[in-house]
Amino acid sequence: MTRSDAELLAAHVAGDSDAFGELFARHRDRLWAVALRTMGNPEEAADGLQDGLIAAFRRADSFRGEAQVTTWLHRVVVNACLDRLRANKVRAAGALPDDLDEAGDRGTLTTSEAGPGPEEAAEAHDVRRAVLRALDTLPVEQRAALILVDMQGYPVAEAAAILGCAVGTVKSRCARGRARLAPLLGVLREPDEASDTPGNPPGTGDVSSGDRPRGPPAVSP
C-alpha cells in the first residue's frame, strides 16, 4: 500500500530510515526544477537543494500540517536557495545550461505541443537564455515569485504558501518583477509584432522548450 506524503514524513520522524528518501524521490523532479530556476546554474542548484533537504530532514518534527507536505518541502528548499543567493550574491554571470527547462504545460513561459523547426528552435533558445539572464537581475524575492508563478505554474495562493507570505505580496512581487523585466526584454520584440502570449512579460513569447531536464544529481540528507 502506497503511503501518503504525511504518512512518510511521520514515519521518518518516528525513525523509519527509508521514509524520507521515498518522500524525496516522489517530489524530486519539481524540487530540482524550482532549485535550478532559482539558483540559475546546476552547481548552485545542487547545493541549494542539498541545504533544503538537510533542513527538511532535520526539522521534519516541526511540520504541523498547516499546509501540504509538498508545499512545506518546496518552502524549505526555496528558502534555502534564497538564503544561498543572499549570502553569496549569486547572479549566475556564466553561461546558462540547456537543462533549465521543464517539460509540459505549466506556467505562462511554455511552448506549444508542436515541435519547432531548426530556425525556430534556435531563436527560442536565444530568447530563453535572455529571459533567464533578465531574471538574474531581479531582487531574489521577486525572482522567486516569478519563477513559481510564471515559470513553474503554481497558483498564486500556493506560491504564497511556499514563500511564507501573503497572496497580495506575491501578486505585488510578480507585478514589480514583470515591470522590471519589460524594458530588459523589449529588445527581443519585433517593432511590428502585435502582441505577446497573454500573461508573459513583453518580448518573452514562448520561451521554454519541451525537453525535460536531465534531473538533479544524487542528493542525500
Side-chain angles (χ1 to χ4, degrees), residues 3-57:
R3 292 183 287 183
S4 69
D5 290 349
E7 289 170 338
L8 285 172
L9 194 62
H12 164 64
V13 173
D16 185 333
S17 60
D18 297 323
F20 191 85
E22 184 177 344
L23 179 64
F24 168 58
R26 183 176 294 175
H27 300 290
R28 172 179 174 170
D29 286 350
R30 293 188 73 186
L31 291 171
W32 170 247
V34 169
L36 185 57
R37 290 187 185 278
T38 301
M39 300 305 296
N41 65 72
E43 292 78 13
E44 288 291 341
D47 289 340
L49 181 58
Q50 177 96 351
D51 291 349
L53 289 177
I54 291 173
F57 185 91

Side-chain angles (χ1 to χ4, degrees), residues 63-120:
F63 178 73
R64 296 291 179 263
E66 293 91 349
Q68 295 182 358
V69 172
T70 182
T71 300
W72 176 75
L73 281 174
H74 277 73
R75 180 190 304 159
V76 174
V77 170
V78 168
N79 283 340
C81 289
L82 295 182
D83 286 345
R84 183 170 283 273
L85 281 174
R86 294 187 188 102
N88 299 336
K89 302 185 187 308
V90 175
R91 289 297 179 265
L96 291 167
D98 292 335
D99 59 354
L100 279 169
D101 304 304
E102 184 175 17
D105 48 8
R106 298 182 54 79
T108 59
L109 301 180
T110 56
T111 59
S112 63
E113 293 293 329
E119 292 184 4
E120 291 82 358

